[in-house]
């Protein structure tokens, strides 16, 4: 449930914004519940993790309220560090960004955005890390964007195949071109040119989707969230009990360095957020807990 | 000594380039010798660290030789990870960077650069991390740049004061304005706007220095290197035996996250180097070994 305190300050401008914001909060609740259930099921000597939530308010440059969000952070025995953030923000883009954003010139820079963003770094190097983020953007136009991708330390073809198959099924019920397009977009996006390496094994990435049909874009975006919920917990449950070695853990810490390099050097959301006064804790919640550069 | 193999491929174009390159290699040798001596003096159960050197060659976009450099990396018992890189490179700047670089339009993009770059991350959270980098750049103009700055986990006023005092003395023998100017420049440069935090306790930072008097710029740059050699080992030797707590070590790992954030989000050298096909291992040698994001 979207908590009472969020409804007033994080105001929506029309019906679909209200519905979309509600969806992102609901999805957050479902994900947190499943992840906590996995913590309970996993067993082990340490206590099962629980999400801690913290809300934050955003202000526009002129000091007026600009919405806000809620972070949920869990440090558990399966999920070494997982952050799930929801936000509903509105305001005016800084002048210099307006030309880059579709429809922002026509809205005089005004925007409304809501979305969910999740990154999970897992204790076991045999359980892939994952990222999922979906959002609705409104300027004088309205579109959806997001995606999800898997970053294993020790890639297992079964995990990779099942993850891609679930996303393929999700996309194909909308448009046969979406899966190949969004998969290729993901591969292009999550790439470290200075290393000549992919960040992980991919997934899907989409943006500026369904400007002419918000209902369809929203339906797809909901399905991406549901697909994530159907496939990622399955991968975690079947891999979390596998024994791993110290060598694999060390390799995980080094691979996490690539994750940091990507997010700070290239990720548009991270850089844009930090340069425009976004919530630092929420933005950098994506960074892994322990990292090693050899 | 600059090794024999470096002399031929890393060719200098005139006498001062030859002399400057020689100085940077000599300084590297002096620094490595002192740091290894500290490893020997420190005692302890583990073996004293030793630098491992690795040379690399650079090629221009057209495939012609573009100089190269040598990395020296030590993972010791006092120096958890210290990299000292020297490079002598020449070639042509990519078209899009030419307008940003003084004198590059007039040289048709041609440049020659040599320098030394050092970052030390220390095992004890009571021994400050340090960065030192000096270089000579030649386009149609010639200038010097660089500096050094201290990044303690648990700042000790004595260390900070002595570090600044040594740099002040170094600067004041050249120009009374240099120290306040270069100190302020350092504070502006090593700043994380998204955190509203300084990276460390500062030092000096200078660039485009002495375009009209290369001998003076080079003399100052040599003195910055000598000053570094006089003050930093002193700080290490007096702090390395102090007992520290697990809390201080954890705090160090978190503060190192700020170091990573700065280098990947803001540092011009890091970003420029990675975007222009520089040597990745040499550029990212600055990243701390173990890092924690809470």
């Amino acid at each position: 449930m979207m908590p009472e305190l969020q409804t007033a300050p994080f105001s929506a401008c029309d019906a679909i914004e209200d519905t979309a914001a509600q969806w992102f909060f609901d999805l957050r609740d479902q994900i947190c519940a499943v992840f906590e259930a996995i913590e309970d099921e996993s067993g082990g000597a340490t206590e099962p993790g629980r999400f801690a939530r913290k809300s934050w308010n955003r202000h526009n440059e002129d000091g007026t309220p600009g919405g806000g969000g809620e972070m949920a952070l869990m440090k558990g025995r399966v999920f070494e560090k997982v952050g799930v953030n929801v936000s509903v923000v509105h305001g005016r883009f800084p002048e210099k960004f307006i030309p880059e954003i579709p429809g922002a010139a026509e809205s005089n820079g005004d925007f409304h955005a809501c979305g969910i963003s999740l990154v999970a770094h897992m204790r076991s190097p045999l359980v892939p890390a994952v990222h999922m983020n979906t959002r609705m953007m409104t300027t004088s136009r309205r579109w959806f964007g997001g995606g999800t991708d898997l970053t294993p330390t020790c890639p297992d073809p079964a995990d990779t195949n099942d993850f891609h198959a679930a996303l393929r099924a999700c996309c194909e019920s909308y448009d046969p071109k979406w899966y190949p397009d969004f998969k290729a977009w993901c591969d292009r996006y999550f790439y470290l040119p200075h290393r000549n390496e992919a960040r992980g094994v991919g997934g899907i990435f989409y943006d500026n989707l369904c400007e002419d049909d918000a209902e369809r874009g929203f339906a797809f975006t909901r399905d991406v969230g549901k697909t994530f919920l159907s496939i990622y917990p399955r991968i975690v449950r079947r891999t979390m009990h596998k024994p791993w070695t110290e060598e694999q853990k060390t390799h995980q810490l080094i691979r996490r360095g690539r994750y940091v390099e990507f997010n700070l050097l290239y990720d548009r959301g991270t850089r844009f957020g930090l340069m425009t006064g976004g919530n630092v804790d929420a933005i950098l919640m994506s960074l892994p807990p322990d990292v090693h550069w050899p």
Side-chain angles (χ1 to χ4, degrees), chain A residues 26 83 98 153 248 289:
Chain A
D26 284 352
I98 292 178
T153 300
Q248 288 169 327

Side-chain angles (χ1 to χ4, degrees), chain A residues 2 24 31 61 87 103 120 147 149 192 213 217 236 243 272 280 294:
Chain A
M2 184 158 64
F24 292 121
I31 290 171
E61 282 184 352
S87 61
D149 64 286
L192 290 81
D213 188 348
V236 175
F272 184 85
V280 177

Side-chain angles (χ1 to χ4, degrees), chain A residues 175-193:
Chain A
D175 189 316
K177 287 193 303 199
W178 281 8
Y179 177 70
D181 285 358
F182 298 168
K183 180 178 188 296
W185 199 345
C186 186
D187 289 340
R188 280 196 307 279
Y189 185 79
F190 292 105
Y191 183 75
L192 290 81

Side-chain angles (χ1 to χ4, degrees), chain A residues 5-34:
Chain A
L5 88 154
Q6 311 291 15
T7 315
F10 308 162
S11 62
C13 304
D14 59 21
I16 191 168
E17 281 172 3
D18 219 28
T19 313
Q22 189 65 53
W23 160 253
F24 292 121
F25 278 82
D26 284 352
L27 178 62
R28 188 271 313 268
D29 290 346
Q30 291 178 57
I31 290 171
C32 290
V34 171

